[in-house]
Amino acid sequence: MKILQMHCDFIEYTPVKKEIRTAEGIDPKTVREEDIVVLFTAFEQGDDSELVKNAVRETKDFLGKLGTLRVLIYPFAHLSQSLASPSEALGLLLEMEKEAKASGLEVHRAPFGWTKALQVKVKGHPLAEMSRSYSHGEGAPRAALPRQKRELSVEAAMARIKRSDFVNLPETDHRVIGERLDLFSFQEVSPGMVYWHDKGLKVRNILIDYLRSELKKQGYQEVSTPTLANTALWMVSGHSEHYKDNMFLTSLGDEELGMKPMNCPSTFLVYKSRKWSFRELPVRYATFDPLYRNELSGVASGLFRVKSLMQDDAHIIATEDQAEGELSKMLDLMERVYGVFGLQYKAKISTRPDDSMGSDEEWERATDTLIRVVKSRGWKYEVKEKEGNFYSPKIDVDIRDSLGREWQCGTFQLDLQMPKRFRLAYTGSDGKEHVPVVLHRTILGSLERFMGVMLEHYRGVLPIWLSPVQARVIPLSDEHLKYAQEVLTSLTEGGVRAEGDFASGTMGAKIRDAQLLKVPYMLVVGKKEEDSRTVAVRSRGGEQAFGVKVSDFVSQVSADDAAFR
Ligand SMILES: [Zn+2]
């Protein structure tokens, strides 16, 4: 079952023509609904009541987050290439309607089997557009692949390869900024995944380098683990049971493999590869690996919600006595990092969800520790009942950006379950084996999302230390090309991220180009500069300085780079 979910200001549709013989008999009049969540739904081969129930349950949860109970179920066959038969689909549709009503939603439904004229106005918030997929894992997607292979000619396949377009977006939207600054693109063949261009990857790497320098000071080790692991790993971690719908599965011979949605389980295997003494704890593992999550995602979410993401993730394996101190250290680091971006923040504590492992006593102990740590910092906090992970309670930290929007970013978890499941151990001072605790934490969260937020937070004008190109060298004319190239070499050798605009074109146009790209400095070189071996520096703010030695400029940029740390 495929669902495209849209939170709409309004939807208006008119049944125009019966598409199939068994179309529902209805009065084909125009229907308009305002402020409603529309579920464009396609039922597929192999769908059944259980999937319908799952979909309704998730919809209900999701509508809770959006703060509405109004939903329109809209049959929409175009979402799938392996549709259920019309009679099956209609049966499931009616079941979905009934189930949704029984769950307390205010349910509307569009007729089945009709071609409809349609108008929608989708709300602009990040969760407004989502797509979801439900299946019993084996059947639907695998059956679809060979058929698609047979049917598609290379030409038809080629036609499906195109860049995702975002139309009618405001200039301040991170997708518009990303396109203008040539940071990244989205391609229709990789739904919900980012194609990083050189400049966007530079920004992401700068963030990672900055975090690495902080982690080094705190004695972290960095590890990297495979994307794929046998489902055995996900069974032990509980992901197979509690997170299955969000995992991408594949196979290798008879083995079923899952793409890692989180780094924890495989990090534990690194820990388990040797014995540890209490004297060596805590062990702090940091990881920057790609993760894959079949999350609710929509093309319109851009970087805010992607299926492939990277977190600034870490797992600290410690004795329970050390947990509080380690948590404090993490929050210190978090405050320092958020400070660099000038971000305000606030904490929430998420408690045990219904679908979870472990005993009440353990959950209470872990939750109390989190509350103690937050209180000791004098922070106000909000309690989010039942919003913890299936294995631990957590401190979630929301940042507030320059537009006053709040984003959940940092997460800090005290986990007493995974260590038991994975039989993690250390030898205590008594010579016996003990079970450690695990602290999971991420500060920026998904780097993709964080970058999206930052692009909007800074309105595309990234600070100098985060700018993918810090300086652009512009020769006044071709006569000065050689000197301009020398300047460029000195800059890059000095560690400045620089590029040259050596194409033909007027000075005015080149300055405008650089300004559009928000390049912090333009270095103009003409005869005067060449003779005196200097550059004329023009900042993106409009200030100018003449006769600047290249080495002085390099020192200035390095000082700017260093200042934020
Ligand atoms: Zn983790």
Side-chain angles (χ1 to χ4, degrees):
M1 185 187 322
K2 299 266 192 310
I3 298 181
L4 177 65
Q5 176 178 316
M6 293 186 169
H7 194 190
C8 296
D9 282 326
F10 77 85
I11 175 165
E12 193 174 294
Y13 63 87
T14 312
V16 180
K17 170 172 160 272
K18 281 188 179 179
E19 208 165 346
I20 48 173
R21 206 166 33 83
T22 49
E24 282 182 282
I26 47 125
D27 173 16
K29 61 177 195 304
T30 298
V31 177
R32 182 182 171 102
E33 298 289 348
E34 315 239 347
D35 197 21
I36 196 162
V37 175
V38 182
L39 305 179
F40 294 99
T41 306
F43 295 97
E44 300 179 291
Q45 292 161 28
D47 285 354
D48 59 15
S49 308
E50 191 194 330
L51 293 184
V52 167
K53 283 202 177 82
N54 287 347
V56 170
R57 202 181 52 235
E58 269 192 30
T59 301
K60 172 111 199 278
D61 285 354
F62 209 82
L63 261 58
K65 283 183 198 155
L66 297 175
T68 178
L69 290 174
R70 304 190 69 232
V71 65
L72 169 69
I73 305 174
Y74 192 110
F76 198 68
H78 316 289
L79 292 174
S80 173
Q81 294 176 328
S82 54
L83 289 172
S85 71
S87 62
E88 279 169 347
L90 180 58
L92 291 166
L93 178 68
L94 297 174
E95 216 175 306
M96 186 171 176
E97 181 182 12
K98 201 168 129 202
E99 190 71 31
K101 278 184 180 153
S103 79
L105 295 174
E106 182 194 323
V107 186
H108 302 261
R109 183 171 70 75
F112 181 82
W114 286 77
T115 301
K116 298 178 274 285
L118 169 70
Q119 261 195 78
V120 286
K121 180 163 186 287
V122 181
K123 289 181 187 289
H125 62 78
L127 299 181
E129 296 170 53
M130 295 292 158
S131 69
R132 295 184 281 156
S133 175
Y134 299 87
S135 73
H136 288 295
E138 305 299 306
R142 268 178 219 167
L145 191 61
R147 198 169 70 175
Q148 185 188 14
K149 264 188 189 159
R150 252 200 333 270
E151 283 174 3
L152 278 186
S153 66
V154 173
E155 227 152 293
M158 198 60 214
R160 291 179 60 165
I161 298 179
K162 51 181 185 251
R163 182 175 175 151
S164 308
D165 282 330
F166 304 113
V167 281
N168 297 331
L169 290 175
E171 285 289 296
T172 48
D173 188 285
H174 72 275
R175 285 157 288 173
V176 177
I177 298 171
E179 188 161 0
R180 199 175 58 225
L181 305 188
D182 192 19
L183 302 178
F184 54 82
S185 56
F186 286 86
Q187 305 284 337
E188 295 197 353
V189 285
S190 310
M193 300 175 219
V194 189
Y195 283 70
W196 288 110
H197 301 192
D198 171 64
K199 290 187 175 116
L201 191 60
K202 277 202 174 100
V203 178
R204 196 177 80 168
N205 285 340
I206 295 164
L207 282 177
I208 294 175
D209 288 348
Y210 163 56
L211 292 164
R212 278 191 174 126
S213 70
E214 288 290 337
L215 297 177
K216 214 155 99 187
K217 291 181 211 160
Q218 296 207 358
Y220 277 78
Q221 320 181 11
E222 189 174 330
V223 295
S224 174
T225 59
T227 295
L228 289 174
N230 187 292
T231 13
L233 184 70
W234 312 115
M235 279 173 79
V236 175
S237 67
H239 285 87
S240 291
E241 191 185 343
H242 303 276
Y243 203 74
K244 188 172 178 237
D245 291 344
N246 296 79
M247 280 187 68
F248 290 104
L249 299 175
T250 182
S251 59
L252 188 66
D254 290 341
E255 272 191 275
E256 186 183 53
L257 305 172
M259 293 173 87
K260 69 172 172 178
M262 295 181 194
N263 292 306
C264 352
S266 42
T267 301
F268 300 153
L269 302 190
V270 176
Y271 177 83
K272 280 170 76 70
S273 66
R274 54 162 279 205
K275 282 200 176 303
W276 296 90
S277 142
F278 71 97
R279 289 194 188 85
E280 296 172 287
L281 266 42
V283 185
R284 305 181 183 96
Y285 291 114
T287 311
F288 298 92
D289 280 348
L291 302 174
Y292 292 85
R293 297 178 181 177
N294 197 3
E295 293 254 13
L296 309 167
S297 91
V299 64
S301 312
L303 293 178
F304 290 158
R305 211 167 253 274
V306 285
K307 291 181 196 293
S308 169
L309 61 139
M310 183 180 280
Q311 290 184 326
D312 59 324
D313 205 4
H315 294 90
I316 285 94
I317 301 178
T319 67
E320 196 163 344
D321 291 346
Q322 293 169 332
E324 221 169 305
E326 285 302 306
L327 274 163
S328 287
K329 262 192 214 139
M330 290 175 182
L331 295 177
D332 289 343
L333 177 61
M334 181 206 86
E335 289 193 290
R336 205 155 58 241
V337 172
Y338 289 173
V340 164
F341 298 94
L343 296 167
Q344 305 283 314
Y345 48 87
K346 67 173 193 205
K348 299 176 296 191
I349 293 186
S350 299
T351 63
R352 180 174 196 181
D354 292 332
D355 181 17
S356 54
M357 13 162 122
S359 72
D360 288 348
E361 191 274 327
E362 289 166 331
W363 276 84
E364 211 166 289
R365 221 161 74 221
T367 312
D368 285 351
T369 306
L370 297 184
I371 292 175
R372 234 176 10 253
V373 171
V374 168
K375 275 192 174 158
S376 74
R377 307 182 82 83
W379 288 359
K380 282 198 205 118
Y381 63 91
E382 193 186 325
V383 175
K384 292 278 200 189
E385 296 293 349
K386 299 187 177 187
E387 296 213 353
N389 272 330
F390 66 85
Y391 49 87
S392 79
K394 52 185 185 154
I395 303 171
D396 286 326
V397 182
D398 284 353
I399 56 168
R400 177 188 275 268
D401 68 15
S402 65
L403 306 172
R405 301 171 306 182
E406 289 182 353
W407 302 91
Q408 198 205 302
C409 232
T411 301
F412 304 85
Q413 302 158 12
L414 172 52
D415 174 8
L416 307 179
Q417 305 307 324
M418 292 288 176
K420 282 195 294 184
R421 299 272 287 216
F422 276 92
R423 307 206 177 122
L424 303 185
Y426 67 92
T427 312
S429 54
D430 54 3
K432 291 191 186 129
E433 293 232 313
H434 296 265
V435 182
V437 300
V438 171
L439 297 155
H440 309 243
R441 75 111 182 96
T442 167
I443 292 174
L444 302 184
S446 142
L447 295 183
E448 282 73 12
R449 197 172 67 129
F450 187 77
M451 279 182 60
V453 175
M454 284 304 99
L455 288 175
E456 296 186 7
H457 172 70
Y458 290 119
R459 293 165 172 85
V461 188
L462 295 175
I464 293 165
W465 72 273
L466 207 50
S467 292
V469 179
Q470 297 170 310
R472 210 173 221 214
V473 184
I474 307 174
L476 260 180
S477 73
D478 283 355
E479 272 170 66
H480 312 292
L481 201 55
K482 190 160 165 281
Y483 177 61
Q485 259 152 350
E486 274 172 44
V487 170
L488 180 58
T489 308
S490 309
L491 293 176
T492 45
E493 282 177 357
V496 176
R497 294 185 293 276
E499 62 185 21
D501 187 348
F502 299 156
S504 56
T506 65
M507 189 48 119
K510 288 185 178 189
I511 301 263
R512 261 197 314 278
D513 271 1
Q515 269 165 342
L516 271 177
L517 291 170
K518 312 289 183 201
V519 177
Y521 297 109
M522 288 152 265
L523 308 189
V524 179
V525 296
K527 180 164 186 333
K528 217 162 49 185
E529 285 74 25
E530 185 162 358
D531 290 346
S532 59
R533 314 299 289 169
T534 61
V535 290
V537 180
R538 185 192 170 111
S539 77
R540 63 185 163 194
E543 299 103 28
Q544 300 203 58
F546 298 97
V548 179
K549 281 206 182 105
V550 176
S551 57
D552 288 349
F553 178 77
V554 169
S555 317
Q556 186 200 326
V557 174
S558 325
D560 280 342
D561 262 349
F564 77 91
R565 292 184 194 184

